[in-house]
Amino acid sequence: MAEGGKRFLTLGIESSCDDTALAVLEGGHGLLAEVISSQIDSHSVYGGVVPELASRMHQEAILPLLESVLAKAGIGEPAKELSLIAVTSGPGLMGSLLVGVMTAKALSQGWGVSLIGVNHLEGHIFANAAVSEELKPPFISLIVSGGHTEVVLVRAFGDYELLGSTRDDAAGEAYDKVSKVLGLGYPGGPIIDRLAAGGDPNAFQLPLPLASTKEIEFSFSGLKTAAMTLIGKETALGEEFPLADLCASFQKAVVDSLMGKIKLAVKRTGVKRLTVSGGVAANSGLRAALTEYSRDRGVELFLPPRGMCTDNAVMIAAAGYSSYMRGNRSDLHLSPNPSWSIW
């Protein structure tokens, strides 16, 4: 509860890339309302996110979404009812971040409501905490998406150690690039995942970069190149292309690469509590592999609902609430930081 017995309500705003999202959260877990506007259809014709287009679409969407989320949450007087505005202020696309941050600052000033800037990756860490009150540190967090592949040790909320990350492409980025070569569309992850369900994962032997190293690190550029080379060779044969088999084999290589380093992180830290977040956390192959590993090795696993895997404002509101309760504050000098690191 906020001061005077008022409910502590946080308005979360997320606009780091190509989704405009807002949510109202009561405390750290009570979701009152959530709205999102996806830009996928607009960017898919270009095969990826166009930054200038993304920022313009955020500008068009954010105020109508604000009206919608407040109405759904039953908030008629935000100046009196809201306790905090939490906004993603980095990392991300500068133009996209700017829309969210400037909107949050204007609302904070106009309503007289406290403001907190949230790191987008900390938001992903809270994707599970927002829906699972049982999740308590320490735990290992795998953040895996189109822009990020990191393994993080969460000693406490606000105390994070980067155990390892990708040297080059993120896992989701590799999915997108292979999908583009195959002519399947954007984003590539869900499309390849769906096709992989009908293929043979052992049909093609693709490399597992850095599999033999004793470091918690990833590299998906080589795997992407190997897959693209294989596609070129298969296409040149002029026969019917085994699309489902290629998708299944590629997905197996990605999942095996991720699982190998997750197992290393658990072994090295001794922490047997694991969370996964980011767009690739919705991947059926990865979720199945994690579930099997959890069952076989006695690791406590937290998987977010698929709707919480991609960028959303619920996780930003939850992370902002936690940060505020730890004593952190932002003011009207808050600025977007596209390369903000919390490690």
Side-chain angles (χ1 to χ4, degrees), residues 183-269:
L184 298 178
Y186 172 87
I191 302 171
I192 290 178
D193 186 22
R194 185 173 64 252
L195 290 170
D200 177 5
N202 298 308
F204 299 101
Q205 296 301 311
L206 291 168
L208 297 181
L210 307 180
S212 61
T213 71
K214 301 196 181 295
E215 300 300 322
I216 302 171
E217 57 183 351
F218 305 93
S219 174
F220 293 102
S221 179
L223 172 58
K224 171 202 68 181
T225 301
M228 291 167 65
T229 300
L230 178 60
I231 293 166
K233 289 181 178 179
E234 290 291 317
T235 302
L237 293 176
E239 300 176 359
E240 184 177 352
F241 187 76
L243 181 60
D245 290 347
L246 188 281
C247 289
S249 298
F250 174 75
Q251 178 149 296
K252 180 179 185 298
V254 173
V255 171
D256 287 351
S257 179
L258 291 169
M259 290 303 304
K261 300 304 181 178
I262 281 294
K263 293 174 183 178
L264 182 59
V266 170
K267 180 179 180 181
R268 186 165 295 178
T269 63

Side-chain angles (χ1 to χ4, degrees), residues 259 285-296 299 301 303:
M259 290 303 304
L286 178 59
R287 292 172 83 96
L290 287 165
T291 300
E292 181 180 1
Y293 170 65
S294 168
R295 182 179 61 248
D296 293 346
V299 173
L301 175 66
L303 288 173

